[in-house]
Amino acid sequence: RCEDIAPLFVNGWIACFASGMTLDSDWMILIAFALGGLTIAYGIGCAILVKMQTGLVFRPDYEFKQTPADYGLNYREVWIAINSPEERDPNAAAPTEQLHGWWIGETQPQQADRVTIYFHGNRGNISSTLNLERIAAFYQTWGGAFLIADYRGFGRSVSGPPSERKLYEDLDAIWNHITHGEGVAPDRQSICVYGHSLGGAAAIEFARRHPSITALIVDGSFTSIYDVALENPNFRPFPLDRILKHRFESIAKVPTLTMPTLFIHGTADDVVPAFMSEKLYAAAAEPKDLCLLPGVHHEDVLELAPDRFLSTLSHFLDRAQCCVKPS
């Protein structure tokens, strides 16, 4: 807490004079005021970070400007209850909290050979161009059914501000939806998970909770929010480890993964540095793959390296035996 740090400044000042340092009273008053001002400013800075961090980690948009149809894709709108059927109030007319999403491509997922769950990043919503362009490219490359849903606090999945805790609850709701609501069978169908940036952290947590998925793709993601914050020199003076409430500590989770995992990252990414994917790869259990794309930034892979990006994903999925026909 910031209040634990402020006394260090005062104690340091007292120690200086206790050690025999002497100054006239005017200088002592000036130094005292200066240290007091620094202490107050530091405390204010801590308080601002505490207040602002949710807005820094999550940057949702509520407006929809396009749909999958604008990319020539079939889609079906879905609403996903947060609570499982066993947890719902039987007297309630409808769940009070729901996720909004789309089934894209093959809109009857129980009939698809492959189901891909797409977790988007910390900006926008499911209708963002980055998300729909990638899903369109994936569908054209390997087909199947795709589910993309907004976390609570994004798009039409509005329920107060987003948080790490809520997002993890949303992951369980998505799993219940695909397996119970849609009849997707992990023992008969390939379930692949793709996540970009913050969505990569969501995908890692999803895979940790549901090891029966067939393959995991983590694109342009980070080791932890703490590590990302340390990359900004403006945040380094603050006690980040105490301030952060949204942590997304993927680096601690990847050693427990059991499914084939691909880490892919652009070397020119100035939002999440590529060395973080290298660290995730090094910490992950086998089987695993790492692909670094030279010159690619955080969001422009389909502009700068579409062929290598899509072929890398396709070859990885083939090796993970994601194309096995339902029995």
Side-chain angles (χ1 to χ4, degrees), residues 145-201:
F146 293 80
L147 174 65
I148 181 171
D150 272 321
Y151 321 117
R152 276 178 292 173
F154 286 74
R156 296 172 185 166
S157 303
V158 179
S159 174
S163 71
E164 182 177 12
R165 178 188 60 81
K166 284 184 180 179
L167 189 147
Y168 292 160
E169 293 172 355
D170 297 345
L171 301 184
D172 289 336
I174 289 171
W175 180 257
N176 287 333
H177 171 76
I178 66 170
T179 56
H180 296 101
E182 298 286 355
V184 173
D187 59 335
R188 295 188 297 105
Q189 294 170 271
S190 295
I191 301 178
C192 308
V193 178
Y194 170 92
H196 175 253
S197 195
L198 178 72

Side-chain angles (χ1 to χ4, degrees), residues 210-244:
H210 307 293
S212 61
I213 69 170
T214 311
L216 170 64
I217 299 169
V218 181
D219 179 6
S221 197
F222 46 77
T223 49
S224 69
I225 292 293
Y226 176 78
D227 291 340
V228 173
L230 284 181
E231 290 298 300
N232 187 328
N234 295 322
F235 295 153
R236 292 174 191 164
F238 298 99
L240 297 174
D241 197 43
R242 297 186 177 188
I243 289 176
L244 287 176

